[in-house]
Amino acid sequence: MYTLENNKLKIGIKKIGAELCKISSVKNINEFMWDANPAIWGNHAPNLFPVIGALKEDSYRFENKKYAMTKHGFIRNNKDIALHEKTKDSLTFRLSQNETTLKSYPFKFEFYITYKLIENKIDILHTVKNCDNQPLYFSLGGHPAFKCPVYENENYEDYFLEFEHEENSVRHLINMETGLISSKTKTVFNNSNKIQLTHELFNEDALIFKDLKSRKVTLKSKTYGAILSISYKEFPYLGIWAKPNGNYVCIEPWLGIADHEDTTQEFKTKEGIISLEANKSFSASYTIEIHNNHLV
């Protein structure tokens, strides 16, 4: 595990998958990341690239050829991603194409993820470079899981998510058998900006939003107030998820989305896919802010 620390926070990043695995207060015992209990969900914050969620039949088509790709792509749990650069307040990891990636993803690329610690905030910057002579097609996103509740005298139901704007939005329901986006929706917001957390909330899998006005969401405790916020101005999709028996909540900024049930499986026309011209770079970041009153 690699670490960064300042006078407020200490963070840990696993070498495998360059996965954020700890966000701890320096001055007290508060830990804000889920502990990746393997009996429930054995991850902390997987990095998602070059797809988000499930593909139909775990595959896609590009230039009349079929390629196999597992859910969320190949960065998570990847042992080949390596530390590229370290400064006093940042860590950057890099993965480029290799024999393994080319079997499932026929592109020459460089993927970078940088964690930068600034006071009580963690900036997470993704950069993708197209090293090919053809357009590069990809999606990317985050999947951070936050401990909930943070304090021992609380329950899961003492927590809620508060969005920066009032919303009128529906969740796009997932087919529980295939993991694909169905045509069904369910209203979540009606001129409101809060989602009450309950374990039953996730009985139908993730809450997936496509049209939120908000680009910031705060995890709040009824007893202790605002715990942490995620700002994601460059990410149009948002997922909210947990295993129904898990004491955590994932707040997931996405550039892209899982396949629809009626997909043609054509990679170029997949919803949310990004097309990056040859020899160009693309960057997008989101920020995790731990509120200061939990760090003293």
Side-chain angles (χ1 to χ4, degrees), residues 46-53 69-76 78 81 95-97 101 104-105 107-113 126-130 136-142 255 267 273-274 276 282:
N47 295 307
L48 316 183
F49 175 89
V51 297
I52 304 290
M69 177 77 69
T70 56
K71 185 177 182 180
H72 291 322
F74 51 69
I75 296 293
R76 67 171 186 167
N78 194 304
I81 193 166
L95 180 73
S96 59
Q97 82 280 347
T101 67
S104 63
Y105 188 62
F107 301 97
K108 297 176 181 177
F109 69 93
E110 293 176 355
F111 173 90
Y112 298 86
I113 185 162
H126 310 77
T127 300
V128 179
K129 292 184 178 180
N130 184 353
L136 179 74
Y137 295 90
F138 66 94
S139 297
L140 63 79
L255 283 158
F267 206 44
I273 205 76
I274 296 166
L276 181 62
F282 172 92

Short mmCIF file of all heavy atoms in Angstrom, two decimals, residues 46-53 69-76 78 81 95-97 101 104-105 107-113 126-130 136-142 255 267 273-274 276 282:
data_model
loop_
_atom_site.label_atom_id
_atom_site.label_comp_id
_atom_site.label_asym_id
_atom_site.label_seq_id
_atom_site.Cartn_x
_atom_site.Cartn_y
_atom_site.Cartn_z
N PRO A 46 -12.94 0.51 -6.60
CA PRO A 46 -12.37 0.11 -7.89
C PRO A 46 -12.38 1.25 -8.91
O PRO A 46 -13.28 2.11 -8.90
CB PRO A 46 -13.31 -1.01 -8.35
CG PRO A 46 -14.04 -1.46 -7.13
CD PRO A 46 -14.13 -0.26 -6.24
N ASN A 47 -11.35 1.26 -9.75
CA ASN A 47 -11.30 2.21 -10.85
C ASN A 47 -11.85 1.55 -12.11
O ASN A 47 -11.46 0.43 -12.45
CB ASN A 47 -9.85 2.66 -11.07
CG ASN A 47 -9.33 3.44 -9.88
OD1 ASN A 47 -9.94 4.40 -9.45
ND2 ASN A 47 -8.19 3.02 -9.33
N LEU A 48 -12.77 2.24 -12.78
CA LEU A 48 -13.53 1.65 -13.87
C LEU A 48 -13.04 2.19 -15.21
O LEU A 48 -13.10 3.39 -15.47
CB LEU A 48 -15.03 1.96 -13.69
CG LEU A 48 -15.59 1.79 -12.27
CD1 LEU A 48 -17.09 2.06 -12.27
CD2 LEU A 48 -15.28 0.41 -11.70
N PHE A 49 -12.55 1.29 -16.07
CA PHE A 49 -12.06 1.64 -17.39
C PHE A 49 -11.78 0.33 -18.13
O PHE A 49 -11.24 -0.59 -17.54
CB PHE A 49 -10.75 2.45 -17.29
CG PHE A 49 -10.10 2.75 -18.62
CD1 PHE A 49 -10.44 3.90 -19.33
CD2 PHE A 49 -9.14 1.89 -19.15
CE1 PHE A 49 -9.84 4.17 -20.55
CE2 PHE A 49 -8.54 2.15 -20.37
CZ PHE A 49 -8.88 3.29 -21.07
N PRO A 50 -12.10 0.22 -19.40
CA PRO A 50 -12.69 1.20 -20.31
C PRO A 50 -14.21 1.08 -20.45
O PRO A 50 -14.78 1.64 -21.37
CB PRO A 50 -12.01 0.86 -21.63
CG PRO A 50 -11.85 -0.63 -21.57
CD PRO A 50 -11.59 -0.97 -20.13
N VAL A 51 -14.85 0.32 -19.54
CA VAL A 51 -16.31 0.25 -19.54
C VAL A 51 -16.81 0.44 -18.12
O VAL A 51 -16.09 0.22 -17.14
CB VAL A 51 -16.84 -1.09 -20.11
CG1 VAL A 51 -16.45 -1.24 -21.57
CG2 VAL A 51 -16.37 -2.28 -19.30
N ILE A 52 -18.07 0.84 -18.04
CA ILE A 52 -18.79 0.97 -16.77
C ILE A 52 -19.84 -0.13 -16.72
O ILE A 52 -20.61 -0.31 -17.67
CB ILE A 52 -19.50 2.34 -16.66
CG1 ILE A 52 -18.52 3.49 -16.85
CG2 ILE A 52 -20.27 2.45 -15.35
CD1 ILE A 52 -17.55 3.70 -15.74
N GLY A 53 -19.88 -0.85 -15.62
CA GLY A 53 -20.92 -1.85 -15.46
C GLY A 53 -20.76 -3.04 -16.40
O GLY A 53 -19.67 -3.32 -16.91
N MET A 69 -15.11 -8.73 -22.48
CA MET A 69 -14.73 -7.72 -21.48
C MET A 69 -15.55 -7.94 -20.22
O MET A 69 -16.79 -8.00 -20.27
CB MET A 69 -14.97 -6.30 -22.01
CG MET A 69 -14.66 -5.18 -21.03
SD MET A 69 -12.90 -4.84 -20.83
CE MET A 69 -12.54 -4.12 -22.43
N THR A 70 -14.90 -8.08 -19.08
CA THR A 70 -15.62 -8.29 -17.84
C THR A 70 -16.20 -6.98 -17.32
O THR A 70 -15.83 -5.88 -17.74
CB THR A 70 -14.68 -8.90 -16.78
OG1 THR A 70 -13.54 -8.04 -16.63
CG2 THR A 70 -14.23 -10.28 -17.18
N LYS A 71 -17.11 -7.11 -16.37
CA LYS A 71 -17.79 -5.97 -15.78
C LYS A 71 -16.80 -4.93 -15.26
O LYS A 71 -15.83 -5.28 -14.58
CB LYS A 71 -18.69 -6.46 -14.63
CG LYS A 71 -19.55 -5.39 -14.01
CD LYS A 71 -20.46 -6.00 -12.95
CE LYS A 71 -21.38 -4.96 -12.34
NZ LYS A 71 -22.25 -5.56 -11.30
N HIS A 72 -17.03 -3.69 -15.58
CA HIS A 72 -16.23 -2.53 -15.14
C HIS A 72 -14.83 -2.46 -15.75
O HIS A 72 -14.03 -1.60 -15.39
CB HIS A 72 -16.11 -2.50 -13.62
CG HIS A 72 -17.37 -2.19 -12.90
ND1 HIS A 72 -18.30 -1.28 -13.34
CD2 HIS A 72 -17.87 -2.67 -11.72
CE1 HIS A 72 -19.32 -1.20 -12.49
NE2 HIS A 72 -19.08 -2.05 -11.50
N GLY A 73 -14.49 -3.37 -16.67
CA GLY A 73 -13.22 -3.25 -17.35
C GLY A 73 -12.06 -3.90 -16.62
O GLY A 73 -12.24 -4.72 -15.72
N PHE A 74 -10.82 -3.51 -17.00
CA PHE A 74 -9.64 -4.26 -16.56
C PHE A 74 -8.67 -3.48 -15.67
O PHE A 74 -7.59 -3.97 -15.35
CB PHE A 74 -8.86 -4.81 -17.76
CG PHE A 74 -8.55 -3.78 -18.83
CD1 PHE A 74 -7.65 -2.75 -18.61
CD2 PHE A 74 -9.16 -3.87 -20.08
CE1 PHE A 74 -7.35 -1.84 -19.60
CE2 PHE A 74 -8.87 -2.95 -21.08
CZ PHE A 74 -7.96 -1.94 -20.83
N ILE A 75 -9.02 -2.29 -15.23
CA ILE A 75 -8.13 -1.59 -14.29
C ILE A 75 -8.27 -2.18 -12.89
O ILE A 75 -7.28 -2.41 -12.19
CB ILE A 75 -8.43 -0.08 -14.26
CG1 ILE A 75 -8.13 0.55 -15.62
CG2 ILE A 75 -7.61 0.61 -13.16
CD1 ILE A 75 -6.67 0.56 -16.01
N ARG A 76 -9.51 -2.42 -12.46
CA ARG A 76 -9.68 -2.94 -11.11
C ARG A 76 -9.01 -4.31 -10.99
O ARG A 76 -9.06 -5.13 -11.90
CB ARG A 76 -11.17 -3.02 -10.74
CG ARG A 76 -11.98 -4.03 -11.51
CD ARG A 76 -13.35 -4.15 -10.88
NE ARG A 76 -14.13 -5.22 -11.50
CZ ARG A 76 -15.25 -5.69 -10.98
NH1 ARG A 76 -15.73 -5.20 -9.86
NH2 ARG A 76 -15.92 -6.64 -11.59
N ASN A 78 -6.05 -5.00 -11.28
CA ASN A 78 -4.98 -5.18 -12.26
C ASN A 78 -3.61 -5.08 -11.58
O ASN A 78 -3.31 -4.09 -10.91
CB ASN A 78 -5.10 -4.11 -13.35
CG ASN A 78 -4.26 -4.42 -14.57
OD1 ASN A 78 -3.06 -4.60 -14.48
ND2 ASN A 78 -4.91 -4.48 -15.72
N ILE A 81 -0.77 -2.28 -13.36
CA ILE A 81 -0.74 -0.85 -13.16
C ILE A 81 0.33 -0.53 -12.11
O ILE A 81 0.46 -1.24 -11.11
CB ILE A 81 -2.13 -0.30 -12.76
CG1 ILE A 81 -2.16 1.22 -12.86
CG2 ILE A 81 -2.58 -0.79 -11.40
CD1 ILE A 81 -3.57 1.81 -12.82
N LEU A 95 -1.04 2.69 -16.52
CA LEU A 95 -1.14 1.43 -17.25
C LEU A 95 -1.21 1.74 -18.73
O LEU A 95 -1.95 2.63 -19.15
CB LEU A 95 -2.39 0.64 -16.84
CG LEU A 95 -2.57 -0.71 -17.55
CD1 LEU A 95 -1.58 -1.75 -17.03
CD2 LEU A 95 -3.99 -1.24 -17.40
N SER A 96 -0.44 1.01 -19.54
CA SER A 96 -0.54 1.11 -20.99
C SER A 96 -0.90 -0.25 -21.56
O SER A 96 -0.89 -1.26 -20.84
CB SER A 96 0.76 1.63 -21.60
OG SER A 96 1.84 0.78 -21.27
N GLN A 97 -1.20 -0.27 -22.84
CA GLN A 97 -1.62 -1.53 -23.45
C GLN A 97 -0.51 -2.57 -23.35
O GLN A 97 0.68 -2.26 -23.36
CB GLN A 97 -2.03 -1.32 -24.92
CG GLN A 97 -0.89 -1.26 -25.92
CD GLN A 97 -0.18 0.07 -25.96
OE1 GLN A 97 -0.68 1.05 -25.41
NE2 GLN A 97 0.98 0.12 -26.60
N THR A 101 -4.25 -6.73 -22.36
CA THR A 101 -5.31 -5.77 -22.68
C THR A 101 -5.69 -5.84 -24.15
O THR A 101 -6.87 -5.69 -24.50
CB THR A 101 -4.90 -4.33 -22.33
OG1 THR A 101 -3.82 -3.89 -23.17
CG2 THR A 101 -4.48 -4.22 -20.87
N SER A 104 -8.62 -8.04 -25.25
CA SER A 104 -10.00 -7.62 -24.98
C SER A 104 -10.29 -6.19 -25.41
O SER A 104 -11.46 -5.78 -25.43
CB SER A 104 -10.30 -7.76 -23.48
OG SER A 104 -9.47 -6.90 -22.72
N TYR A 105 -9.24 -5.44 -25.77
CA TYR A 105 -9.40 -4.00 -26.03
C TYR A 105 -8.34 -3.62 -27.07
O TYR A 105 -7.18 -3.38 -26.71
CB TYR A 105 -9.21 -3.25 -24.72
CG TYR A 105 -9.52 -1.77 -24.75
CD1 TYR A 105 -10.80 -1.32 -25.04
CD2 TYR A 105 -8.54 -0.84 -24.45
CE1 TYR A 105 -11.09 0.04 -25.04
CE2 TYR A 105 -8.82 0.52 -24.43
CZ TYR A 105 -10.09 0.95 -24.74
OH TYR A 105 -10.38 2.30 -24.73
N PHE A 107 -6.77 -1.36 -28.64
CA PHE A 107 -6.33 0.03 -28.74
C PHE A 107 -5.00 0.21 -28.01
O PHE A 107 -4.73 -0.46 -27.01
CB PHE A 107 -7.36 0.97 -28.11
CG PHE A 107 -8.73 0.90 -28.71
CD1 PHE A 107 -9.71 0.11 -28.12
CD2 PHE A 107 -9.05 1.58 -29.87
CE1 PHE A 107 -10.98 0.02 -28.67
CE2 PHE A 107 -10.32 1.51 -30.43
CZ PHE A 107 -11.29 0.72 -29.83
N LYS A 108 -4.21 1.16 -28.51
CA LYS A 108 -2.98 1.57 -27.84
C LYS A 108 -3.30 2.81 -27.02
O LYS A 108 -3.79 3.82 -27.55
CB LYS A 108 -1.89 1.86 -28.86
CG LYS A 108 -1.48 0.65 -29.68
CD LYS A 108 -0.46 1.02 -30.74
CE LYS A 108 -0.08 -0.20 -31.58
NZ LYS A 108 0.88 0.15 -32.67
N PHE A 109 -3.04 2.73 -25.72
CA PHE A 109 -3.47 3.79 -24.82
C PHE A 109 -2.50 3.91 -23.64
O PHE A 109 -1.69 3.01 -23.37
CB PHE A 109 -4.87 3.49 -24.26
CG PHE A 109 -4.87 2.31 -23.32
CD1 PHE A 109 -4.73 2.50 -21.94
CD2 PHE A 109 -4.97 1.01 -23.80
CE1 PHE A 109 -4.70 1.42 -21.07
CE2 PHE A 109 -4.94 -0.08 -22.92
CZ PHE A 109 -4.80 0.13 -21.56
N GLU A 110 -2.62 5.01 -22.94
CA GLU A 110 -2.03 5.15 -21.61
C GLU A 110 -3.12 5.66 -20.68
O GLU A 110 -3.82 6.62 -21.01
CB GLU A 110 -0.85 6.13 -21.61
CG GLU A 110 0.36 5.63 -22.39
CD GLU A 110 1.47 6.66 -22.46
OE1 GLU A 110 1.27 7.81 -21.99
OE2 GLU A 110 2.54 6.33 -22.99
N PHE A 111 -3.29 4.98 -19.55
CA PHE A 111 -4.27 5.36 -18.53
C PHE A 111 -3.51 5.79 -17.28
O PHE A 111 -2.64 5.06 -16.79
CB PHE A 111 -5.19 4.18 -18.21
CG PHE A 111 -6.13 4.42 -17.06
CD1 PHE A 111 -7.39 4.95 -17.28
CD2 PHE A 111 -5.76 4.11 -15.75
CE1 PHE A 111 -8.27 5.17 -16.21
CE2 PHE A 111 -6.62 4.31 -14.70
CZ PHE A 111 -7.89 4.86 -14.93
N TYR A 112 -3.81 6.98 -16.80
CA TYR A 112 -3.19 7.50 -15.57
C TYR A 112 -4.28 7.81 -14.57
O TYR A 112 -5.35 8.32 -14.93
CB TYR A 112 -2.42 8.79 -15.86
CG TYR A 112 -1.26 8.66 -16.81
CD1 TYR A 112 -1.46 8.75 -18.18
CD2 TYR A 112 0.03 8.46 -16.34
CE1 TYR A 112 -0.40 8.64 -19.07
CE2 TYR A 112 1.11 8.36 -17.22
CZ TYR A 112 0.89 8.45 -18.59
OH TYR A 112 1.94 8.33 -19.46
N ILE A 113 -4.00 7.54 -13.31
CA ILE A 113 -4.87 8.03 -12.24
C ILE A 113 -3.99 8.65 -11.16
O ILE A 113 -3.00 8.05 -10.73
CB ILE A 113 -5.78 6.92 -11.68
CG1 ILE A 113 -6.76 7.52 -10.65
CG2 ILE A 113 -5.02 5.73 -11.11
CD1 ILE A 113 -7.95 6.65 -10.36
N HIS A 126 -8.30 11.40 -13.60
CA HIS A 126 -8.10 10.36 -14.61
C HIS A 126 -7.62 11.03 -15.90
O HIS A 126 -8.21 12.01 -16.35
CB HIS A 126 -9.42 9.64 -14.93
CG HIS A 126 -10.16 9.16 -13.72
ND1 HIS A 126 -10.90 10.02 -12.91
CD2 HIS A 126 -10.31 7.92 -13.19
CE1 HIS A 126 -11.45 9.31 -11.94
NE2 HIS A 126 -11.11 8.05 -12.09
N THR A 127 -6.58 10.48 -16.49
CA THR A 127 -6.10 10.95 -17.79
C THR A 127 -5.94 9.75 -18.71
O THR A 127 -5.35 8.74 -18.33
CB THR A 127 -4.75 11.68 -17.66
OG1 THR A 127 -4.92 12.81 -16.79
CG2 THR A 127 -4.26 12.17 -19.01
N VAL A 128 -6.48 9.88 -19.92
CA VAL A 128 -6.38 8.85 -20.94
C VAL A 128 -5.70 9.45 -22.16
O VAL A 128 -6.10 10.50 -22.64
CB VAL A 128 -7.77 8.30 -21.33
CG1 VAL A 128 -7.64 7.23 -22.41
CG2 VAL A 128 -8.49 7.74 -20.10
N LYS A 129 -4.65 8.79 -22.62
CA LYS A 129 -3.94 9.22 -23.82
C LYS A 129 -4.16 8.18 -24.93
O LYS A 129 -4.00 6.98 -24.70
CB LYS A 129 -2.45 9.37 -23.55
CG LYS A 129 -2.11 10.51 -22.60
CD LYS A 129 -0.61 10.68 -22.44
CE LYS A 129 -0.29 11.85 -21.51
NZ LYS A 129 1.18 12.04 -21.34
N ASN A 130 -4.53 8.68 -26.09
CA ASN A 130 -4.69 7.81 -27.25
C ASN A 130 -3.35 7.74 -27.97
O ASN A 130 -2.90 8.70 -28.57
CB ASN A 130 -5.76 8.36 -28.18
CG ASN A 130 -6.04 7.43 -29.36
OD1 ASN A 130 -5.34 6.44 -29.55
ND2 ASN A 130 -7.05 7.76 -30.15
N LEU A 136 -9.95 6.36 -30.09
CA LEU A 136 -10.00 5.49 -28.91
C LEU A 136 -11.37 5.62 -28.28
O LEU A 136 -11.84 6.74 -28.03
CB LEU A 136 -8.92 5.92 -27.92
CG LEU A 136 -8.80 5.15 -26.60
CD1 LEU A 136 -8.18 3.80 -26.85
CD2 LEU A 136 -7.94 5.93 -25.60
N TYR A 137 -12.03 4.51 -28.02
CA TYR A 137 -13.36 4.51 -27.44
C TYR A 137 -13.29 3.95 -26.01
O TYR A 137 -12.71 2.90 -25.77
CB TYR A 137 -14.32 3.65 -28.28
CG TYR A 137 -14.55 4.22 -29.66
CD1 TYR A 137 -13.73 3.84 -30.72
CD2 TYR A 137 -15.55 5.15 -29.90
CE1 TYR A 137 -13.92 4.36 -32.00
CE2 TYR A 137 -15.76 5.68 -31.16
CZ TYR A 137 -14.94 5.29 -32.21
OH TYR A 137 -15.12 5.82 -33.46
N PHE A 138 -13.90 4.67 -25.07
CA PHE A 138 -13.81 4.25 -23.68
C PHE A 138 -14.86 4.95 -22.83
O PHE A 138 -15.43 5.98 -23.21
CB PHE A 138 -12.42 4.56 -23.09
CG PHE A 138 -12.12 6.04 -22.98
CD1 PHE A 138 -12.37 6.73 -21.81
CD2 PHE A 138 -11.59 6.74 -24.05
CE1 PHE A 138 -12.11 8.09 -21.70
CE2 PHE A 138 -11.31 8.09 -23.96
CZ PHE A 138 -11.57 8.77 -22.78
N SER A 139 -15.09 4.41 -21.65
CA SER A 139 -15.78 5.06 -20.55
C SER A 139 -14.87 4.95 -19.33
O SER A 139 -13.94 4.14 -19.31
CB SER A 139 -17.13 4.39 -20.25
OG SER A 139 -18.01 4.50 -21.33
N LEU A 140 -15.14 5.75 -18.32
CA LEU A 140 -14.39 5.62 -17.07
C LEU A 140 -15.23 6.15 -15.92
O LEU A 140 -16.20 6.87 -16.12
CB LEU A 140 -13.02 6.31 -17.15
CG LEU A 140 -12.93 7.82 -17.36
CD1 LEU A 140 -13.18 8.62 -16.09
CD2 LEU A 140 -11.54 8.17 -17.89
N GLY A 141 -14.82 5.77 -14.71
CA GLY A 141 -15.56 6.25 -13.55
C GLY A 141 -14.97 5.74 -12.24
O GLY A 141 -14.00 4.99 -12.22
N GLY A 142 -15.57 6.21 -11.16
CA GLY A 142 -15.16 5.83 -9.82
C GLY A 142 -16.23 4.99 -9.14
O GLY A 142 -17.40 5.00 -9.54
N LEU A 255 -18.53 8.38 -16.31
CA LEU A 255 -18.56 8.81 -17.70
C LEU A 255 -18.87 7.56 -18.51
O LEU A 255 -17.97 6.87 -18.99
CB LEU A 255 -17.22 9.42 -18.12
CG LEU A 255 -16.97 10.84 -17.64
CD1 LEU A 255 -15.48 11.16 -17.63
CD2 LEU A 255 -17.70 11.83 -18.54
N PHE A 267 -19.56 -1.03 -30.01
CA PHE A 267 -18.83 -0.21 -29.05
C PHE A 267 -18.91 1.27 -29.42
O PHE A 267 -19.06 2.13 -28.55
CB PHE A 267 -17.38 -0.67 -28.99
CG PHE A 267 -16.69 -0.37 -27.68
CD1 PHE A 267 -17.33 -0.60 -26.47
CD2 PHE A 267 -15.41 0.13 -27.65
CE1 PHE A 267 -16.70 -0.34 -25.26
CE2 PHE A 267 -14.76 0.39 -26.46
CZ PHE A 267 -15.40 0.16 -25.25
N ILE A 273 -20.32 6.43 -24.39
CA ILE A 273 -18.95 6.15 -24.82
C ILE A 273 -18.28 7.44 -25.27
O ILE A 273 -18.90 8.32 -25.86
CB ILE A 273 -18.92 5.09 -25.94
CG1 ILE A 273 -17.58 4.35 -25.98
CG2 ILE A 273 -19.24 5.69 -27.30
CD1 ILE A 273 -17.41 3.32 -24.90
N ILE A 274 -16.99 7.56 -24.97
CA ILE A 274 -16.20 8.72 -25.36
C ILE A 274 -15.31 8.32 -26.53
O ILE A 274 -14.70 7.25 -26.52
CB ILE A 274 -15.34 9.21 -24.18
CG1 ILE A 274 -16.24 9.70 -23.05
CG2 ILE A 274 -14.36 10.32 -24.61
CD1 ILE A 274 -15.52 9.88 -21.74
N LEU A 276 -12.01 9.50 -28.52
CA LEU A 276 -10.84 10.37 -28.38
C LEU A 276 -9.98 10.23 -29.63
O LEU A 276 -9.58 9.12 -30.00
CB LEU A 276 -10.05 9.97 -27.14
CG LEU A 276 -8.80 10.76 -26.80
CD1 LEU A 276 -9.13 12.22 -26.52
CD2 LEU A 276 -8.08 10.14 -25.60
N PHE A 282 -7.34 13.02 -22.76
CA PHE A 282 -8.61 13.36 -22.11
C PHE A 282 -8.41 13.29 -20.61
O PHE A 282 -7.75 12.37 -20.11
CB PHE A 282 -9.69 12.36 -22.54
CG PHE A 282 -10.99 12.50 -21.80
CD1 PHE A 282 -12.01 13.30 -22.29
CD2 PHE A 282 -11.19 11.84 -20.59
CE1 PHE A 282 -13.21 13.43 -21.58
CE2 PHE A 282 -12.38 11.96 -19.89
CZ PHE A 282 -13.39 12.77 -20.40
#
